[in-house]
Amino acid sequence: MDHYDSQQTNDYMQPEEDWDRDLLLDPAWEKQQRKTFTAWCNSHLRKAGTQIENIEEDFRDGLKLMLLLEVISGERLAKPERGKMRVHKISNVNKALDFIASKGVKLVSIGAEEIVDGNVKMTLGMIWTIILRFAIQDISVEETSAKEGLLLWCQRKTAPYKNVNIQNFHISWKDGLGFCALIHRHRPELIDYGKLRKDDPLTNLNTAFDVAEKYLDIPKMLDAEDIVGTARPDEKAIMTYVSSFYHAFSGAQKAETAANRICKVLAVNQENEQLMEDYEKLASDLLEWIRRTIPWLENRAPENTMHAMQQKLEDFRDYRRLHKPPKVQEKCQLEINFNTLQTKLRLSNRPAFMPSEGRMVSDINNAWGCLEQAEKGYEEWLLNEIRRLERLDHLAEKFRQKASIHEAWTDGKEAMLRQKDYETATLSEIKALLKKHEAFESDLAAHQDRVEQIAAIAQELNELDYYDSPSVNARCQKICDQWDNLGALTQKRREALERTEKLLETIDQLYLEYAKRAAPFNNWMEGAMEDLQDTFIVHTIEEIQVRQLVPRRDQALTEEHARQQHNERLRKQFGAQANVIGPWIQTKMEEIGRISIEMHGTLEDQLNHLRQYEKSIVNYKPKIDQLEGDHQLIQEALIFDNKHTNYTMEHIRVGWEQLLTTIARTINEVENQILTRDAKGISQEQMNEFRASFNHFDRKKTGMMDTDDFRACLISMGYNMGEAEFARIMSIVDPNRLGVVTFQAFIDFMSRETADTDTADQVMASFKILAGDKNYITVDELRRELPPDQAEYCIARMAPYTGPDAVPGALDYMSFSTALYGESDL
């Protein structure tokens, strides 16, 4: 420190010969220095209730010189000599010079005797040395100090002002606009800068000097005429005057620095709080969507028709193609936001974010798992229902056809069986009627199988929950009842015919002879009647029906053959695409995994590589859409199997969604690694070492270490810990208790002590500056010192101050500062 102070002073101190040369070259400089240094000294001496009139006379006894040093340093010097003799004066001046030297300042050619003798040049040189050490040397702006620091401060403050170009401490200040700009920058209400003119330096200088003296407590150290009338104003005088402006505004400078620190901290907090709010809203919306969707997927109420079920299948396709994919992306974005937020919180020394009850990442994953479980069962149920309805439609149509044929056959049969034609018939007619009845009985027996088929189909429709079972059952029951009735009537008619035959046979014995002669004729008549009946009832009708059904059946077979050929083309078309897309997705997943694990190039190289992959993946989407279209055609054609591929559309959908999620997560992981690296100053070599260690203990090659892997990793690095300590470390690296350690959490842990972050104490100290060293801050102070949104942010969150020195409206900035950070293990 001593070397630094000495060097700084040497840079701006000139030996006595230089002072003589300066004054010989331009006597005006001595005048300017006299005035400026005198005013500067008085600006401090007045705090002790005194002043000087003549700079070379009033410091000769050393008393005011020692007092000046005590005022500007805040320290006590050795007790001064009160005698009037020369030796006493020299002793006092030496005490002052020794004190100056003790501050690391090398005095060049300045001795106590010259000061006591009133040497103007030496006195001015000594005062300049004091000004340099106590007013200029400690100025520090953006890693520059002393003269350069003061110059840089002036340049920064006057940068926005037109016609001001501060390059030095002499001619840059001649037009007065520099002084005015400094005042206006800090106290804009004091000067109407817009009305100033560069070609009126006297007005500008006088305005600045008068305002500074009246409102800023800076004494007038130079006359405007002296500056304007000198080709090159004295640098030391200007520098001394400007340093007074710096120190006048140093309080404002400290407040500005404090406000900047607070604003930076609040900006981080506001950004983090916004991320938290976004997470909570996104999580809430996603969970609400899942809550609404699961009952729809769990609803297994069957529809009555194929059309209605196919509409449900189409709705499910829309859900998988249109409604669910954005939610998959939202879930992925939610996890990305959560991981980014946790990284930012760790890097800014804030406690980990704990979402509200029921909205943890694990809660969302559990809810998502329930959604996918319901979804998986739903599509299977839909396809089974469509198969069931397809069979039902077929059976119902078969039932209707057989019932219609049967009903047509039975039409008029009951009336025929109820006829009393046998009552007026002759014996031969009775026998003919009996033969006809026997033929009918044979026909009736033949139809027994059809009735049983109808009943069996009706039973199957009932077992398959056919929606129109009541009407089927009623029709079947009617057919069965009619069948039973036909059987009863048939038996009754046979009995009547046989009874009548027996009666007529007895009568016929009387006419036997007649009958024998009439027998040939009777036989011919009976045969003719039988033939006529047989042809009309059996042969003719059935032949006509068969001839009609054969070509219909041929047409149906042809149509079915064409349909099956079309279905096979659809199967092959889907299979060919799926067999390309499925392996492509798997390959991309493996390549992404390799990029994220292998250490090729910098993190930026990895990020660029991943973004190129992301672009190629997004460009592949039309192929997925085309496959979805083919899948829709397959489902509409009621095709339920495909021997040409092992990939289903659901396999492809899930793979595609996982691919999009994986690339997004991996990009986010690398972005967070870059954030951590930059915040903690980790070199690429260190990052590679971290990655190599992580990969070695990631034994399952999942991109995450489980608990046992992480424990083994820590032991290999020399950690000697019990269960309690390991549990504490796990709470840091796995705050969500998922049982795994990601690479991001690993590098956070490995580099946890290196981040350069603000602390609660620093923020508290900054608020204390804005509060003017009070233990509380007022609403007005916050609104005056901070930007509006950040002032209101503090006002809304600070608790009232309740200390003994509290005033109305006082706010507690200390507890607020602590709350900004909370407790952090990192």
Side-chain angles (χ1 to χ4, degrees):
M1 184 67 186
D2 288 349
H3 171 74
Y4 171 79
D5 288 347
S6 174
Q7 185 61 45
Q8 286 290 333
T9 305
N10 282 338
D11 288 345
Y12 307 121
M13 275 299 298
Q14 294 172 310
E16 185 178 359
E17 292 78 13
D18 289 346
W19 285 81
D20 287 340
R21 187 169 62 253
D22 288 348
L23 292 176
L24 288 171
L25 287 172
D26 192 346
W29 284 11
E30 179 184 329
K31 178 183 176 185
Q32 292 175 20
Q33 286 180 15
R34 250 182 213 274
K35 184 173 182 64
T36 302
F37 292 178
T38 300
W40 183 85
C41 291
N42 284 335
S43 70
H44 294 286
L45 286 171
R46 67 184 176 185
K47 297 173 186 175
T50 188
Q51 62 178 16
I52 60 172
E53 297 292 338
N54 187 309
I55 199 164
E56 70 268 25
E57 289 294 329
D58 294 347
F59 284 139
R60 288 177 63 183
D61 61 7
L63 293 175
K64 287 188 178 180
L65 180 59
M66 293 178 70
L67 184 61
L68 174 67
L69 290 171
E70 286 187 346
V71 171
I72 61 178
S73 70
E75 299 178 30
R76 296 290 295 178
L77 273 67
K79 188 175 180 180
E81 301 285 348
R82 292 295 177 182
K84 301 292 185 181
M85 299 175 62
R86 177 179 174 84
V87 66
H88 297 142
K89 295 178 181 179
I90 290 174
S91 175
N92 288 339
V93 173
N94 272 326
K95 288 176 182 176
L97 295 178
D98 289 345
F99 179 79
I100 295 171
S102 74
K103 296 302 178 183
V105 179
K106 186 179 292 185
L107 296 167
V108 181
S109 303
I110 298 176
E113 290 81 0
E114 285 87 356
I115 305 301
V116 172
D117 291 340
N119 186 311
V120 176
K121 303 181 197 66
M122 292 300 106
T123 303
L124 291 175
M126 178 189 67
I127 297 301
W128 173 239
T129 301
I130 294 171
I131 292 171
L132 270 180
R133 174 59 186 85
F134 293 100
I136 296 175
Q137 182 175 299
D138 290 338
I139 293 172
S140 179
V141 178
E142 296 183 19
E143 299 182 359
T144 64
S145 58
K147 179 181 178 182
E148 282 82 4
L150 182 61
L151 183 63
L152 183 59
W153 177 80
C154 295
Q155 291 169 340
R156 290 283 184 272
K157 294 299 181 182
T158 60
Y161 294 85
K162 63 180 181 179
N163 297 329
V164 177
N165 182 19
I166 304 299
Q167 297 297 326
N168 49 55
F169 286 108
H170 37 80
I171 59 174
S172 292
W173 301 87
K174 281 192 67 173
D175 60 14
L177 290 177
F179 289 104
C180 291
L182 285 179
I183 297 171
H184 185 266
R185 180 66 183 272
H186 293 91
R187 297 287 300 276
E189 76 280 6
L190 297 181
I191 289 181
D192 187 352
Y193 189 85
K195 290 185 177 179
L196 301 177
R197 300 197 326 269
K198 192 174 182 66
D199 60 359
D200 190 3
L202 281 175
T203 299
N204 299 339
L205 287 165
N206 282 321
T207 298
F209 297 163
D210 292 344
V211 166
E213 187 172 36
K214 183 175 181 181
Y215 296 102
L216 303 178
D217 203 25
I218 298 174
K220 193 171 184 180
M221 299 184 183
L222 285 170
D223 291 325
E225 292 77 11
D226 291 341
I227 296 174
V228 173
T230 306
R232 184 175 182 270
D234 178 60
E235 183 178 56
K236 299 175 185 63
I238 297 293
M239 199 184 305
T240 302
Y241 211 159
V242 171
S243 73
S244 297
F245 282 86
Y246 173 87
H247 289 291
F249 294 130
S250 64
Q253 186 73 20
K254 286 180 183 176
E256 184 178 337
T257 302
N260 287 340
R261 180 186 293 276
I262 291 169
C263 286
K264 186 179 80 170
V265 170
L266 293 181
V268 169
N269 258 62
Q270 287 172 302
E271 181 187 3
N272 290 342
E273 285 182 10
Q274 187 61 54
L275 286 173
M276 292 175 194
E277 288 178 18
D278 292 346
Y279 174 89
E280 292 279 346
K281 184 176 188 314
L282 197 55
S284 178
D285 291 347
L286 186 58
L287 287 167
E288 174 61 21
W289 178 80
I290 293 172
R291 186 192 66 77
R292 290 197 316 269
T293 305
I294 286 179
W296 174 68
L297 292 170
E298 289 179 339
N299 178 16
R300 300 294 193 270
E303 298 292 343
N304 293 332
T305 65
M306 278 285 287
H307 175 74
M309 285 306 296
Q310 284 176 320
Q311 182 59 51
K312 278 196 169 185
L313 185 61
E314 187 174 334
D315 291 343
F316 180 75
R317 275 197 306 269
D318 285 345
Y319 158 80
R320 285 302 281 114
R321 294 177 63 180
L322 303 176
H323 304 305
K324 188 185 177 188
K327 298 303 176 184
V328 173
Q329 294 303 307
E330 283 180 23
K331 178 175 177 290
C332 177
Q333 192 61 48
L334 191 72
E335 293 170 4
I336 286 172
N337 290 356
F338 182 82
N339 292 333
T340 301
L341 173 60
Q342 298 293 39
T343 299
K344 289 185 174 181
L345 288 170
R346 284 192 291 266
L347 294 178
S348 58
N349 202 27
R350 306 301 203 278
F353 168 55
M354 291 296 290
S356 56
E357 185 71 26
R359 293 179 187 168
M360 297 284 290
V361 171
S362 56
D363 296 321
I364 292 164
N365 285 336
N366 290 338
W368 192 264
C370 294
L371 173 81
E372 295 200 320
Q373 190 59 39
E375 176 186 301
K376 182 180 178 182
Y378 186 68
E379 185 174 29
E380 185 178 344
W381 173 77
L382 281 174
L383 296 175
N384 287 336
E385 275 297 298
I386 287 173
R387 288 191 189 99
R388 183 181 70 83
L389 287 174
E390 185 182 30
R391 170 130 182 92
L392 281 174
D393 283 354
H394 174 71
L395 285 174
E397 182 59 30
K398 191 174 180 180
F399 174 85
R400 284 191 292 272
Q401 287 178 352
K402 288 187 177 294
S404 296
I405 292 171
H406 178 78
E407 287 164 350
W409 180 83
T410 59
D411 186 36
K413 295 294 189 291
E414 288 180 280
M416 180 197 76
L417 292 171
R418 285 195 176 96
Q419 287 182 116
K420 305 287 186 177
D421 51 350
Y422 53 83
E423 291 181 348
T424 58
T426 63
L427 182 60
S428 60
E429 288 172 340
I430 288 297
K431 290 186 180 295
L433 286 173
L434 270 168
K435 284 192 175 186
K436 180 181 176 184
H437 191 70
E438 286 171 3
F440 175 76
E441 283 179 328
S442 297
D443 200 14
L444 187 67
H447 279 76
Q448 176 69 31
D449 187 50
R450 177 180 291 123
V451 174
E452 290 174 357
Q453 288 179 9
I454 289 170
I457 293 171
Q459 179 63 26
E460 191 172 358
L461 286 170
N462 276 286
E463 290 172 355
L464 292 174
D465 295 329
Y466 182 53
Y467 78 96
D468 202 19
S469 287
S471 65
V472 168
N473 292 339
R475 191 172 182 182
C476 181
Q477 189 61 47
K478 184 178 178 183
I479 288 171
C480 290
D481 291 346
Q482 186 186 41
W483 186 253
D484 291 343
N485 193 37
L486 283 174
L489 288 173
T490 300
Q491 182 61 31
K492 187 176 179 182
R493 183 172 174 82
R494 167 170 280 284
E495 290 172 355
L497 286 170
E498 288 177 344
R499 190 171 55 250
T500 303
E501 181 188 34
K502 190 173 182 182
L503 177 63
L504 289 176
E505 279 179 345
T506 302
I507 296 171
D508 201 48
Q509 291 299 321
L510 299 174
Y511 298 102
L512 183 58
E513 192 62 32
Y514 171 80
K516 288 179 179 177
R517 286 198 290 263
F521 178 77
N522 286 337
N523 287 337
W524 176 84
M525 283 296 291
E526 288 175 4
M529 286 179 69
E530 286 177 12
D531 289 342
L532 286 170
Q533 289 296 326
D534 288 345
T535 301
F536 179 77
I537 293 173
V538 182
H539 301 298
T540 305
I541 294 298
E542 288 186 355
E543 285 177 8
I544 290 170
Q545 288 175 337
V546 168
R547 286 172 183 167
Q548 289 176 337
L549 289 172
V550 167
R552 286 180 194 166
R553 186 66 172 171
D554 285 343
Q555 182 182 354
L557 287 170
T558 302
E559 290 173 353
E560 181 61 22
H561 184 259
R563 188 172 76 86
Q564 289 301 332
Q565 284 183 320
H566 175 67
N567 287 355
E568 186 65 8
R569 282 195 299 273
L570 289 178
R571 289 187 183 97
K572 288 180 178 179
Q573 185 171 314
F574 179 88
Q577 289 190 81
N579 289 338
V580 172
I581 293 173
W584 182 88
I585 289 174
Q586 184 60 35
T587 300
K588 289 296 177 186
M589 288 285 282
E590 293 169 357
E591 290 173 350
I592 292 167
R594 283 199 298 273
I595 294 172
S596 64
I597 292 175
E598 294 171 356
M599 295 169 287
H600 295 314
T602 64
L603 288 175
E604 283 77 10
D605 293 335
Q606 291 179 34
L607 190 61
N608 290 334
H609 203 178
L610 286 167
R611 283 180 173 150
Q612 289 172 5
Y613 263 79
E614 184 179 40
K615 188 175 180 181
S616 70
I617 289 167
V618 171
N619 290 340
Y620 203 77
K621 180 69 162 55
K623 294 186 184 298
I624 306 293
D625 293 337
Q626 184 180 349
L627 192 67
E628 283 279 10
D630 290 344
H631 174 65
Q632 181 171 344
L633 294 175
I634 279 179
Q635 286 196 329
E636 288 171 351
L638 301 178
I639 298 170
F640 300 107
D641 60 89
N642 192 345
K643 65 183 179 182
H644 300 292
T645 182
N646 291 324
Y647 293 101
T648 66
M649 191 64 232
E650 189 59 19
H651 287 147
I652 300 295
R653 286 169 181 158
V654 170
W656 177 251
E657 288 168 355
Q658 287 177 343
L659 182 61
L660 291 175
T661 299
T662 300
I663 188 68
R665 283 175 180 159
T666 307
I667 287 173
N668 176 248
E669 286 170 5
V670 176
E671 289 173 338
N672 284 343
Q673 289 168 26
I674 291 172
L675 271 179
T676 304
R677 180 200 66 190
D678 293 346
K680 299 188 175 184
I682 302 171
S683 68
Q684 188 62 45
E685 184 179 354
Q686 287 175 303
M687 190 65 78
N688 290 345
E689 289 175 5
F690 290 155
R691 173 53 82 180
S693 297
F694 186 88
N695 289 351
H696 177 75
F697 286 95
D698 175 18
R699 295 184 175 122
K700 299 183 182 67
K701 302 307 175 190
T702 59
M704 293 179 286
M705 284 191 282
D706 62 24
T707 305
D708 292 338
D709 291 339
F710 183 56
R711 186 195 301 271
C713 180
L714 291 180
I715 291 171
S716 76
M717 292 186 294
Y719 278 81
N720 183 13
M721 64 210 159
E723 285 300 320
E725 175 62 9
F726 182 68
R728 186 192 72 81
I729 293 174
M730 281 301 296
S731 71
I732 297 170
V733 297
D734 181 26
N736 298 312
R737 298 184 290 280
L738 300 177
V740 294
V741 179
T742 64
F743 182 60
Q744 178 62 45
F746 179 69
I747 59 175
D748 280 344
F749 176 75
M750 295 301 295
S751 58
R752 62 193 182 281
E753 299 299 335
T754 61
D756 180 20
T757 58
D758 292 298
T759 65
D761 288 342
Q762 289 172 324
V763 175
M764 209 178 296
S766 297
F767 272 117
K768 195 174 184 70
I769 290 171
L770 298 189
D773 276 346
K774 300 190 300 294
N775 293 323
Y776 60 84
I777 194 166
T778 66
V779 170
D780 288 342
E781 285 169 337
L782 286 170
R783 286 178 174 153
R784 183 179 71 238
E785 301 292 350
L786 297 178
D789 63 323
Q790 295 188 324
E792 298 308 317
Y793 177 88
C794 293
I795 292 165
R797 288 163 176 77
M798 281 187 183
Y801 176 72
T802 56
D805 52 341
V807 298
L811 298 175
D812 184 357
Y813 63 77
M814 294 184 183
S815 59
F816 173 76
S817 301
T818 304
L820 286 175
Y821 289 86
E823 295 295 326
S824 175
D825 289 309
L826 294 180

